[in-house]
Amino acid sequence: MKISRRGVLAASAAAPMIMKTGSARAATASIQLHSRRHRGEIDKKIFGNFIEHLGRCITGGIFDEGSPLSDKEGFRKDVMAAVKDMNVPFLRWPGGNFSSNYNWRDGIGPRNQRPPRLEMAWGTVEDNRFGTHEFMDYVEQLGAEPYICMNLGTGTWTDAQQWVEYVNGSQDTEITRLRKKNGRDKPWGVKYWGLGNEMDGYWQMGHRSASDYAAFALETAKLAKLTDPSVKLIAAGASNYRAGSDWIGWNRTVLESLRDYADYISIHLYVGNQANDYADFVASPIEMDQKIETLAGLINAAMSQRVDHVTGQPMRDGRKLYIAFDEWNVWYRARGDSQRGRRILEEHYNLEDALVVAGFLNSLVNHADTVKIANLAQLVNVIAPIFTNDKGLFLQTIYYPLQLFSRNVKGNSLDVLVDSPTYKSRRFDVVPYIDASASLDGNSLVINVVNRHQDQPMEVAIGLEDREFSGAVTVSEVNGPDIKAENDFGKTLVSARQSSANASGRTLTHSFPAHSYTQLRATLA
Ligand code: AHR
């Protein structure tokens, strides 16, 4: 069956489950590319990450005061090096659920005078030693762009507005004097601000109905833009997928209310293999495709109905609103629900999780026209690619696809026409074994391929319709002895293995091993 990311193109005679398991014979597939058939420019912010005051993500993760591994500010140097190596361009903070009861004033001023507060999202006490100044220092050292999520749960419009003023204000006011007193003269100029987190979720502190949230977020958005017209605002779309929740209705209400003020609408997705069903789990990125495409339709509908309030005519100002997929990951083992506490929520990833992460990244790249922000949740320890203890760290399996995409995928996202054998899984009727994305930046072509097959390699002919390959191809393959293989301190079973190949002419054929993610980097003539 021939599949494009936009749908089924042509059916072959193949029955849905055509692959025989247990045999090493390579099955075949193809990927067709045209250098001018694009899906949109890739925004590097889709390779963003997220730190929350949760478990050992910040305290004990990136920030470990008194540790011999930390610098004088308290930042763990080994963690910083691993984060830099992963190439994190964009970082969201302070939550997550944490943000919905966070008072930014608690996290400024001399560290020893900051108040400890009951932290109700995750059932602990927040010492507030990592606050706005520490976050801004961290992103500055990292070379990443900051994204701050405001408290639209228990906070007020004024709290949110004054946080924007504290961070970005250049006039002489009581608030900017406070910033200067705390050691920062120049405004930081943070551009990206979230209008709350998962406000549709019943679990969220300050949860509201769609219309109550939309009204509150609209006024907060106005105040934020009146304080600094250059800010970009991310409205909280729906992330509650449980039966009975009105995902479409929430998003429609938020879009219709905020379409003249918000620049992005955020959604989240976490998946897991609770059923221990590899074939279905590894197809999870299809769910991300579906969520993005449904939300893109709602955005188009809302934006096409904008009316000029003075003339009553349809608006023709070219205003755009994009998707911010600002939390996504595999997360199902460590929920931290029954036993609340700092160290409970720590997920240990295996190879199949890394393949799902690579598939999610393919989905984000394949929707580069509508998704302009995405943040893996989260950076260190909790549900994260980097895992620390007092003595060092190890890189989880999911680190490698994140690193390969963020370092190398740029330019335009190409429309990938995949012709692959397919199978049917518990949740999805048609799952191609080969899942792919491609980007072209000048003459640099990067192709990302997940072979979802558990037992068989797949020989894929990658055809260029209008260009030719020219010379060396760098191959980075993420794989391991089996789908449950994990890394640990002193044990790396899953990593990116480098090799090289050569290609000329219009077709490059590569054999992708069973249960693997591979990135091919080629130059075009
Ligand atoms: O990333 C962990 C949590 O998942 C976040 O705090 C919340 O937004 C989501 O439910």
Side-chain angles (χ1 to χ4, degrees), residues 477-502:
E477 183 190 304
V478 178
N479 207 341
D482 63 78
I483 54 171
K484 301 293 183 192
E486 299 178 350
N487 297 341
D488 210 331
F489 292 102
K491 179 183 88 172
T492 305
L493 295 181
V494 177
S495 64
R497 201 171 49 87
Q498 313 292 333
S499 60
S500 61
N502 253 291

PDB file of all heavy atoms in Angstrom, residues 477-502:
ATOM      1  N   GLU A 477      22.720   5.174  13.117  1.00  0.00           N
ATOM      2  CA  GLU A 477      21.667   4.184  13.387  1.00  0.00           C
ATOM      3  C   GLU A 477      21.477   3.998  14.888  1.00  0.00           C
ATOM      4  O   GLU A 477      22.420   3.695  15.607  1.00  0.00           O
ATOM      5  CB  GLU A 477      22.057   2.857  12.740  1.00  0.00           C
ATOM      6  CG  GLU A 477      20.999   1.788  12.887  1.00  0.00           C
ATOM      7  CD  GLU A 477      21.543   0.434  12.449  1.00  0.00           C
ATOM      8  OE1 GLU A 477      22.020   0.321  11.304  1.00  0.00           O
ATOM      9  OE2 GLU A 477      21.511  -0.497  13.281  1.00  0.00           O
ATOM     10  N   VAL A 478      20.243   4.187  15.335  1.00  0.00           N
ATOM     11  CA  VAL A 478      19.919   3.960  16.747  1.00  0.00           C
ATOM     12  C   VAL A 478      19.237   2.603  16.844  1.00  0.00           C
ATOM     13  O   VAL A 478      18.168   2.392  16.271  1.00  0.00           O
ATOM     14  CB  VAL A 478      18.999   5.074  17.292  1.00  0.00           C
ATOM     15  CG1 VAL A 478      18.623   4.800  18.743  1.00  0.00           C
ATOM     16  CG2 VAL A 478      19.673   6.441  17.155  1.00  0.00           C
ATOM     17  N   ASN A 479      19.879   1.699  17.565  1.00  0.00           N
ATOM     18  CA  ASN A 479      19.357   0.343  17.643  1.00  0.00           C
ATOM     19  C   ASN A 479      19.937  -0.313  18.890  1.00  0.00           C
ATOM     20  O   ASN A 479      20.738   0.291  19.603  1.00  0.00           O
ATOM     21  CB  ASN A 479      19.742  -0.440  16.377  1.00  0.00           C
ATOM     22  CG  ASN A 479      18.752  -1.557  16.062  1.00  0.00           C
ATOM     23  OD1 ASN A 479      17.988  -1.994  16.926  1.00  0.00           O
ATOM     24  ND2 ASN A 479      18.763  -2.021  14.830  1.00  0.00           N
ATOM     25  N   GLY A 480      19.554  -1.533  19.134  1.00  0.00           N
ATOM     26  CA  GLY A 480      20.051  -2.244  20.303  1.00  0.00           C
ATOM     27  C   GLY A 480      19.736  -3.707  20.161  1.00  0.00           C
ATOM     28  O   GLY A 480      19.079  -4.108  19.200  1.00  0.00           O
ATOM     29  N   PRO A 481      20.165  -4.523  21.119  1.00  0.00           N
ATOM     30  CA  PRO A 481      19.998  -5.965  20.992  1.00  0.00           C
ATOM     31  C   PRO A 481      18.544  -6.406  20.908  1.00  0.00           C
ATOM     32  O   PRO A 481      18.231  -7.400  20.255  1.00  0.00           O
ATOM     33  CB  PRO A 481      20.670  -6.518  22.254  1.00  0.00           C
ATOM     34  CG  PRO A 481      20.875  -5.360  23.166  1.00  0.00           C
ATOM     35  CD  PRO A 481      20.914  -4.136  22.322  1.00  0.00           C
ATOM     36  N   ASP A 482      17.645  -5.698  21.578  1.00  0.00           N
ATOM     37  CA  ASP A 482      16.223  -6.040  21.476  1.00  0.00           C
ATOM     38  C   ASP A 482      15.394  -4.836  21.892  1.00  0.00           C
ATOM     39  O   ASP A 482      15.942  -3.863  22.436  1.00  0.00           O
ATOM     40  CB  ASP A 482      15.881  -7.272  22.320  1.00  0.00           C
ATOM     41  CG  ASP A 482      16.115  -7.021  23.782  1.00  0.00           C
ATOM     42  OD1 ASP A 482      15.269  -6.369  24.406  1.00  0.00           O
ATOM     43  OD2 ASP A 482      17.174  -7.438  24.304  1.00  0.00           O
ATOM     44  N   ILE A 483      14.098  -4.895  21.673  1.00  0.00           N
ATOM     45  CA  ILE A 483      13.254  -3.707  21.867  1.00  0.00           C
ATOM     46  C   ILE A 483      13.155  -3.274  23.329  1.00  0.00           C
ATOM     47  O   ILE A 483      12.774  -2.140  23.608  1.00  0.00           O
ATOM     48  CB  ILE A 483      11.834  -3.918  21.290  1.00  0.00           C
ATOM     49  CG1 ILE A 483      11.204  -5.183  21.870  1.00  0.00           C
ATOM     50  CG2 ILE A 483      11.882  -3.960  19.766  1.00  0.00           C
ATOM     51  CD1 ILE A 483       9.736  -5.341  21.517  1.00  0.00           C
ATOM     52  N   LYS A 484      13.508  -4.155  24.241  1.00  0.00           N
ATOM     53  CA  LYS A 484      13.409  -3.780  25.664  1.00  0.00           C
ATOM     54  C   LYS A 484      14.766  -3.337  26.221  1.00  0.00           C
ATOM     55  O   LYS A 484      14.888  -3.076  27.427  1.00  0.00           O
ATOM     56  CB  LYS A 484      12.881  -4.956  26.493  1.00  0.00           C
ATOM     57  CG  LYS A 484      11.507  -5.467  26.063  1.00  0.00           C
ATOM     58  CD  LYS A 484      10.402  -4.458  26.308  1.00  0.00           C
ATOM     59  CE  LYS A 484       9.045  -5.053  25.924  1.00  0.00           C
ATOM     60  NZ  LYS A 484       7.978  -4.042  25.860  1.00  0.00           N
ATOM     61  N   ALA A 485      15.790  -3.272  25.359  1.00  0.00           N
ATOM     62  CA  ALA A 485      17.132  -2.914  25.847  1.00  0.00           C
ATOM     63  C   ALA A 485      17.135  -1.494  26.402  1.00  0.00           C
ATOM     64  O   ALA A 485      16.586  -0.567  25.802  1.00  0.00           O
ATOM     65  CB  ALA A 485      18.142  -3.032  24.713  1.00  0.00           C
ATOM     66  N   GLU A 486      17.780  -1.326  27.571  1.00  0.00           N
ATOM     67  CA  GLU A 486      17.851  -0.019  28.240  1.00  0.00           C
ATOM     68  C   GLU A 486      19.300   0.341  28.513  1.00  0.00           C
ATOM     69  O   GLU A 486      20.153  -0.540  28.619  1.00  0.00           O
ATOM     70  CB  GLU A 486      17.176  -0.092  29.616  1.00  0.00           C
ATOM     71  CG  GLU A 486      15.725  -0.445  29.607  1.00  0.00           C
ATOM     72  CD  GLU A 486      15.157  -0.543  31.033  1.00  0.00           C
ATOM     73  OE1 GLU A 486      15.930  -0.517  32.018  1.00  0.00           O
ATOM     74  OE2 GLU A 486      13.934  -0.645  31.145  1.00  0.00           O
ATOM     75  N   ASN A 487      19.551   1.600  28.708  1.00  0.00           N
ATOM     76  CA  ASN A 487      20.854   2.050  29.184  1.00  0.00           C
ATOM     77  C   ASN A 487      20.783   2.267  30.696  1.00  0.00           C
ATOM     78  O   ASN A 487      19.697   2.324  31.273  1.00  0.00           O
ATOM     79  CB  ASN A 487      21.273   3.357  28.509  1.00  0.00           C
ATOM     80  CG  ASN A 487      21.438   3.172  27.008  1.00  0.00           C
ATOM     81  OD1 ASN A 487      21.588   2.037  26.533  1.00  0.00           O
ATOM     82  ND2 ASN A 487      21.410   4.260  26.263  1.00  0.00           N
ATOM     83  N   ASP A 488      21.949   2.385  31.299  1.00  0.00           N
ATOM     84  CA  ASP A 488      22.004   2.623  32.750  1.00  0.00           C
ATOM     85  C   ASP A 488      23.361   3.231  33.064  1.00  0.00           C
ATOM     86  O   ASP A 488      24.182   3.403  32.159  1.00  0.00           O
ATOM     87  CB  ASP A 488      21.814   1.287  33.502  1.00  0.00           C
ATOM     88  CG  ASP A 488      21.155   1.500  34.860  1.00  0.00           C
ATOM     89  OD1 ASP A 488      21.344   2.586  35.443  1.00  0.00           O
ATOM     90  OD2 ASP A 488      20.468   0.585  35.326  1.00  0.00           O
ATOM     91  N   PHE A 489      23.641   3.498  34.327  1.00  0.00           N
ATOM     92  CA  PHE A 489      24.967   3.979  34.683  1.00  0.00           C
ATOM     93  C   PHE A 489      25.972   2.899  34.297  1.00  0.00           C
ATOM     94  O   PHE A 489      25.820   1.735  34.676  1.00  0.00           O
ATOM     95  CB  PHE A 489      25.056   4.262  36.188  1.00  0.00           C
ATOM     96  CG  PHE A 489      24.208   5.434  36.593  1.00  0.00           C
ATOM     97  CD1 PHE A 489      22.977   5.248  37.197  1.00  0.00           C
ATOM     98  CD2 PHE A 489      24.639   6.733  36.334  1.00  0.00           C
ATOM     99  CE1 PHE A 489      22.189   6.334  37.556  1.00  0.00           C
ATOM    100  CE2 PHE A 489      23.863   7.831  36.679  1.00  0.00           C
ATOM    101  CZ  PHE A 489      22.630   7.630  37.291  1.00  0.00           C
ATOM    102  N   GLY A 490      26.944   3.264  33.492  1.00  0.00           N
ATOM    103  CA  GLY A 490      27.986   2.318  33.095  1.00  0.00           C
ATOM    104  C   GLY A 490      27.538   1.273  32.087  1.00  0.00           C
ATOM    105  O   GLY A 490      28.260   0.321  31.814  1.00  0.00           O
ATOM    106  N   LYS A 491      26.335   1.389  31.529  1.00  0.00           N
ATOM    107  CA  LYS A 491      25.854   0.390  30.557  1.00  0.00           C
ATOM    108  C   LYS A 491      25.129   1.106  29.410  1.00  0.00           C
ATOM    109  O   LYS A 491      24.099   1.735  29.637  1.00  0.00           O
ATOM    110  CB  LYS A 491      24.886  -0.580  31.253  1.00  0.00           C
ATOM    111  CG  LYS A 491      24.307  -1.647  30.325  1.00  0.00           C
ATOM    112  CD  LYS A 491      23.303  -2.545  31.037  1.00  0.00           C
ATOM    113  CE  LYS A 491      21.908  -1.986  30.990  1.00  0.00           C
ATOM    114  NZ  LYS A 491      20.849  -2.859  31.488  1.00  0.00           N
ATOM    115  N   THR A 492      25.729   1.029  28.208  1.00  0.00           N
ATOM    116  CA  THR A 492      25.058   1.661  27.056  1.00  0.00           C
ATOM    117  C   THR A 492      24.725   0.578  26.031  1.00  0.00           C
ATOM    118  O   THR A 492      25.579   0.145  25.266  1.00  0.00           O
ATOM    119  CB  THR A 492      25.975   2.736  26.422  1.00  0.00           C
ATOM    120  OG1 THR A 492      26.359   3.649  27.448  1.00  0.00           O
ATOM    121  CG2 THR A 492      25.255   3.497  25.323  1.00  0.00           C
ATOM    122  N   LEU A 493      23.489   0.129  26.033  1.00  0.00           N
ATOM    123  CA  LEU A 493      23.063  -0.892  25.059  1.00  0.00           C
ATOM    124  C   LEU A 493      22.469  -0.256  23.811  1.00  0.00           C
ATOM    125  O   LEU A 493      22.480  -0.848  22.736  1.00  0.00           O
ATOM    126  CB  LEU A 493      22.020  -1.831  25.687  1.00  0.00           C
ATOM    127  CG  LEU A 493      22.489  -2.704  26.845  1.00  0.00           C
ATOM    128  CD1 LEU A 493      21.360  -3.590  27.341  1.00  0.00           C
ATOM    129  CD2 LEU A 493      23.672  -3.562  26.413  1.00  0.00           C
ATOM    130  N   VAL A 494      21.950   0.949  23.978  1.00  0.00           N
ATOM    131  CA  VAL A 494      21.317   1.638  22.839  1.00  0.00           C
ATOM    132  C   VAL A 494      22.023   2.980  22.655  1.00  0.00           C
ATOM    133  O   VAL A 494      22.116   3.774  23.593  1.00  0.00           O
ATOM    134  CB  VAL A 494      19.818   1.879  23.112  1.00  0.00           C
ATOM    135  CG1 VAL A 494      19.185   2.654  21.967  1.00  0.00           C
ATOM    136  CG2 VAL A 494      19.090   0.559  23.331  1.00  0.00           C
ATOM    137  N   SER A 495      22.526   3.209  21.455  1.00  0.00           N
ATOM    138  CA  SER A 495      23.158   4.504  21.172  1.00  0.00           C
ATOM    139  C   SER A 495      23.106   4.716  19.660  1.00  0.00           C
ATOM    140  O   SER A 495      22.505   3.914  18.943  1.00  0.00           O
ATOM    141  CB  SER A 495      24.612   4.522  21.659  1.00  0.00           C
ATOM    142  OG  SER A 495      25.345   3.567  20.939  1.00  0.00           O
ATOM    143  N   ALA A 496      23.754   5.770  19.176  1.00  0.00           N
ATOM    144  CA  ALA A 496      23.774   6.019  17.723  1.00  0.00           C
ATOM    145  C   ALA A 496      25.101   5.529  17.161  1.00  0.00           C
ATOM    146  O   ALA A 496      26.158   6.010  17.556  1.00  0.00           O
ATOM    147  CB  ALA A 496      23.596   7.500  17.457  1.00  0.00           C
ATOM    148  N   ARG A 497      25.026   4.550  16.281  1.00  0.00           N
ATOM    149  CA  ARG A 497      26.243   3.992  15.660  1.00  0.00           C
ATOM    150  C   ARG A 497      26.439   4.673  14.312  1.00  0.00           C
ATOM    151  O   ARG A 497      25.520   4.759  13.510  1.00  0.00           O
ATOM    152  CB  ARG A 497      26.042   2.488  15.478  1.00  0.00           C
ATOM    153  CG  ARG A 497      27.323   1.690  15.335  1.00  0.00           C
ATOM    154  CD  ARG A 497      27.013   0.190  15.391  1.00  0.00           C
ATOM    155  NE  ARG A 497      25.908  -0.187  14.497  1.00  0.00           N
ATOM    156  CZ  ARG A 497      26.042  -0.512  13.208  1.00  0.00           C
ATOM    157  NH1 ARG A 497      27.219  -0.534  12.648  1.00  0.00           N
ATOM    158  NH2 ARG A 497      24.985  -0.829  12.479  1.00  0.00           N
ATOM    159  N   GLN A 498      27.656   5.175  14.085  1.00  0.00           N
ATOM    160  CA  GLN A 498      27.915   5.910  12.839  1.00  0.00           C
ATOM    161  C   GLN A 498      28.570   5.006  11.811  1.00  0.00           C
ATOM    162  O   GLN A 498      29.439   4.212  12.150  1.00  0.00           O
ATOM    163  CB  GLN A 498      28.886   7.085  13.069  1.00  0.00           C
ATOM    164  CG  GLN A 498      28.576   7.964  14.254  1.00  0.00           C
ATOM    165  CD  GLN A 498      27.306   8.764  14.089  1.00  0.00           C
ATOM    166  OE1 GLN A 498      26.897   9.063  12.979  1.00  0.00           O
ATOM    167  NE2 GLN A 498      26.655   9.094  15.198  1.00  0.00           N
ATOM    168  N   SER A 499      28.185   5.183  10.557  1.00  0.00           N
ATOM    169  CA  SER A 499      28.895   4.523   9.449  1.00  0.00           C
ATOM    170  C   SER A 499      28.734   5.429   8.229  1.00  0.00           C
ATOM    171  O   SER A 499      28.101   6.484   8.311  1.00  0.00           O
ATOM    172  CB  SER A 499      28.325   3.124   9.179  1.00  0.00           C
ATOM    173  OG  SER A 499      26.970   3.220   8.834  1.00  0.00           O
ATOM    174  N   SER A 500      29.313   5.002   7.113  1.00  0.00           N
ATOM    175  CA  SER A 500      29.132   5.862   5.938  1.00  0.00           C
ATOM    176  C   SER A 500      28.863   5.005   4.710  1.00  0.00           C
ATOM    177  O   SER A 500      29.139   3.800   4.687  1.00  0.00           O
ATOM    178  CB  SER A 500      30.346   6.755   5.736  1.00  0.00           C
ATOM    179  OG  SER A 500      31.463   5.950   5.524  1.00  0.00           O
ATOM    180  N   ALA A 501      28.291   5.658   3.717  1.00  0.00           N
ATOM    181  CA  ALA A 501      27.975   4.976   2.455  1.00  0.00           C
ATOM    182  C   ALA A 501      28.273   5.963   1.341  1.00  0.00           C
ATOM    183  O   ALA A 501      28.695   7.100   1.601  1.00  0.00           O
ATOM    184  CB  ALA A 501      26.512   4.579   2.447  1.00  0.00           C
ATOM    185  N   ASN A 502      28.065   5.538   0.137  1.00  0.00           N
ATOM    186  CA  ASN A 502      28.250   6.420  -1.009  1.00  0.00           C
ATOM    187  C   ASN A 502      27.020   6.383  -1.874  1.00  0.00           C
ATOM    188  O   ASN A 502      26.385   5.336  -1.996  1.00  0.00           O
ATOM    189  CB  ASN A 502      29.447   5.943  -1.822  1.00  0.00           C
ATOM    190  CG  ASN A 502      30.583   6.909  -1.611  1.00  0.00           C
ATOM    191  OD1 ASN A 502      30.513   8.056  -2.079  1.00  0.00           O
ATOM    192  ND2 ASN A 502      31.596   6.475  -0.872  1.00  0.00           N
TER     193      ASN A 502
END
